[in-house]
Amino acid sequence: RGYFCAEGSIEECVASGTYCEEGSSEAAPCAGGYFCSSTSSQVECSAGSHCPEGSVVESDCREGHFCSTPASETECGPGTFCALRSVLPTGVSVGFHTVDADDQPAVRGAVKELVCPVGFFCVEGAIAECVVTGTYCAEGSSEATPCAGGYFCSSTSSQVECSAGSHCPEGSVEESDCREGHFCSTPA
């Protein structure tokens, strides 16, 4: 091992990332899924590693990617994220969005998930601002919901309880006085 025979002469296998098994007639690239720290041995890479053809060291599968086999590396797609050394992508949780290594929203190549912040809703890893008047998006929202009866939502990031004697039906954006000649036992 570490040598090959070509046209009757013995040649040392010296090129980095190659392997010469016993009886070989030429140096061959280290196989995908293996690494060759020397030209005389091929070592199988472990799960969560990435070792393309010609590897001389075992490398981690990169963040934002998954390596279902050590010979392959695939970018994580929408609705998933991949931490360092991922073998398979992880599906994003309901009410969460995915981000890149700089914590910036990312639909592809995401490395982790974060809870959806107040004033936003998150679906399949994507984040969107809650903009419809009279709706509210609490932390972890997966959709905009109408402001609850008995409350008013002057913004989509706050839901404020109405005071006694006021009238606040579902979807209210401001607190209203109970109309003259009517009785409002609850603010809703």
Side-chain angles (χ1 to χ4, degrees):
R1 288 186 172 175
Y3 294 88
F4 64 94
C5 297
E7 299 176 15
S9 65
I10 297 175
E11 302 285 331
E12 186 174 4
C13 192
V14 293
S16 179
T18 62
Y19 170 68
C20 296
E21 70 180 313
E22 194 172 320
S24 59
S25 60
E26 64 182 6
C30 192
Y34 293 81
F35 68 98
C36 299
S37 55
S38 74
T39 58
S40 62
S41 65
Q42 270 193 136
V43 179
E44 188 172 7
C45 294
S46 60
S49 295
H50 182 228
C51 300
E53 184 178 278
S55 293
V56 294
V57 296
E58 183 173 24
S59 300
D60 290 334
C61 188
R62 295 178 296 158
E63 287 183 308
H65 296 78
F66 66 96
C67 299
S68 55
T69 71
S72 68
E73 185 177 66
T74 306
E75 185 178 50
C76 282
T80 67
F81 64 95
C82 299
L84 185 69
R85 296 187 58 82
S86 290
V87 174
L88 293 172
T90 303
V92 68
S93 303
V94 173
F96 283 72
H97 67 102
T98 52
V99 295
D100 64 17
D102 296 321
D103 283 346
Q104 296 302 306
V107 176
R108 301 190 65 77
V111 302
K112 65 181 176 181
E113 65 179 359
L114 297 175
V115 69
C116 202
V118 173
F120 293 83
F121 64 96
C122 299
V123 179
E124 295 182 6
I127 185 169
E129 191 170 2
C130 194
V131 294
V132 177
T133 303
T135 63
Y136 171 66
C137 292
E139 181 178 77
S141 292
S142 59
E143 62 183 355
T145 55
C147 193
Y151 293 81
F152 68 97
C153 299
S154 56
S155 77
T156 58
S157 60
S158 66
Q159 186 168 252
V160 180
E161 189 172 6
C162 293
S163 55
S166 63
H167 179 66
C168 298
E170 183 179 277
S172 293
V173 294
E174 60 185 23
E175 189 172 30
S176 301
D177 291 331
C178 189
R179 291 186 313 178
E180 191 176 318
H182 291 84
F183 175 71
C184 298
S185 61
T186 61

